[in-house]
């Protein structure tokens, strides 16, 4: 295995374990057993467990930001739907890591991790503003979009854990939520 592949494998093992218990309860021994490697090999790639935890969760947040990076062409509703679909794709792919990331806020309380989570949230808000062609949003519009991102996070977390809502229904429901929330905001501003 190449050094990068081994590093990625250790990160993947950590993310798998984070799905079943909080990252702070996962030990180096748990990770090396899951990955089938030795402790010395672990420390060749990561100087500490904390470093691996941060890198593993950064993998998830980077993928979420990447999933939001490109706007699809078309009217606002099509663009927002594509963004929601992209988020669901990433969340489904990094299921365990996403659950760990949102289980209790930032999970691992470091300024880097908090910044990474905030980067995803802020990118989502910017994407919606771009989709809607809003250059200078009012405070109430910003509040609406930030609240909607919280709805999306909680909904995706519940969807992953319970799996009772079909994916297409979840996508439509989240998009309809945004439309309704923005209509309510517009009524209050008008």
């Amino acid at each position: 295995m190449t050094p990068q592949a081994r590093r990625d494998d250790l990160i993947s093992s950590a993310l798998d374990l984070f799905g079943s218990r909080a990252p702070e309860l996962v030990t180096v021994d748990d990770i090396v057993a899951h990955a089938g490697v030795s402790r010395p090999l672990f420390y060749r790639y990561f100087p500490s467990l904390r470093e691996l935890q941060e890198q593993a969760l950064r993998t998830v947040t980077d993928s979420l930001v990447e999933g939001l990076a490109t706007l699809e062409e078309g009217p606002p509703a099509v663009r927002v739907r594509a963004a929601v679909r992209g988020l669901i794709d990433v969340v489904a792919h990094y299921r365990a890591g996403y659950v760990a990331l949102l289980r209790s806020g930032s999970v691992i309380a470091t300024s880097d991790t908090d910044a990474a989570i905030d980067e995803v949230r802020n990118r989502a808000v910017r994407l919606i503003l771009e989709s809607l062609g809003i250059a200078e949003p009012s405070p109430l519009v910003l509040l609406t979009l930030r609240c909607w991102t919280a709805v999306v996070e909680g909904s995706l977390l519940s969807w992953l854990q319970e799996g009772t809502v079909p994916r297409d229904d979840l996508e439509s429901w989240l998009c309809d939520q945004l439309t309704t929330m923005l209509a309510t905001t517009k009524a209050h501003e008008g």
Side-chain angles (χ1 to χ4, degrees):
M1 202 179 268
T2 67
Q4 186 59 49
R6 175 61 67 198
R7 184 177 170 81
D8 291 345
D9 186 54
L10 288 166
I11 289 171
S12 179
S13 293
L15 287 171
D16 286 347
L17 293 168
F18 293 170
S20 61
R21 56 194 143 148
E24 60 271 11
L25 299 178
V26 175
T27 67
V28 170
D29 290 333
D30 296 329
I31 294 167
V32 298
H34 191 275
V37 300
S38 66
R39 281 180 69 90
L41 186 67
F42 173 91
Y43 286 110
R44 177 187 291 173
Y45 292 96
F46 296 98
S48 68
L49 179 58
R50 179 66 136 206
E51 173 75 20
L52 173 65
Q53 290 168 330
E54 290 176 2
Q55 287 299 310
L57 295 179
R58 177 50 96 167
T59 298
V60 177
T61 56
D62 286 350
S63 294
L64 289 168
V65 169
E66 190 177 299
L68 292 170
T70 312
L71 284 175
E72 191 169 298
E73 293 298 319
V78 169
R79 297 167 81 183
V80 169
R81 185 170 298 279
V84 170
R85 188 177 311 112
L87 277 176
I88 294 172
D89 288 344
V90 172
V91 165
H93 179 74
Y94 288 104
R95 177 186 190 95
Y98 187 79
V99 170
L101 192 65
L102 294 183
R103 179 176 280 133
S104 60
S106 62
V107 182
I108 300 173
T110 69
S111 59
D112 286 342
T113 305
D114 291 341
I117 294 167
D118 288 341
E119 183 181 347
V120 174
R121 292 172 180 148
N122 291 334
R123 177 64 185 139
V125 168
R126 284 193 310 272
L127 176 108
I128 296 163
L129 291 171
E130 289 171 26
S131 293
L132 300 174
I134 299 173
E136 295 193 28
S138 69
L140 198 53
V141 166
L142 281 176
L143 179 61
T144 300
L145 296 180
R146 288 184 184 128
C147 289
W148 182 74
T149 60
V151 167
V152 170
E153 288 175 1
S155 299
L156 292 176
L157 185 62
S158 293
W159 176 70
L160 289 174
Q161 293 175 328
E162 298 164 8
T164 56
V165 176
R167 180 189 169 116
D168 290 342
D169 292 349
L170 175 68
E171 181 184 312
S172 295
W173 179 75
L174 287 171
C175 291
D176 290 347
Q177 286 253 340
L178 177 61
T179 301
T180 302
M181 290 173 77
L182 287 170
T184 302
T185 297
K186 185 176 181 179
H188 282 269
E189 288 184 328

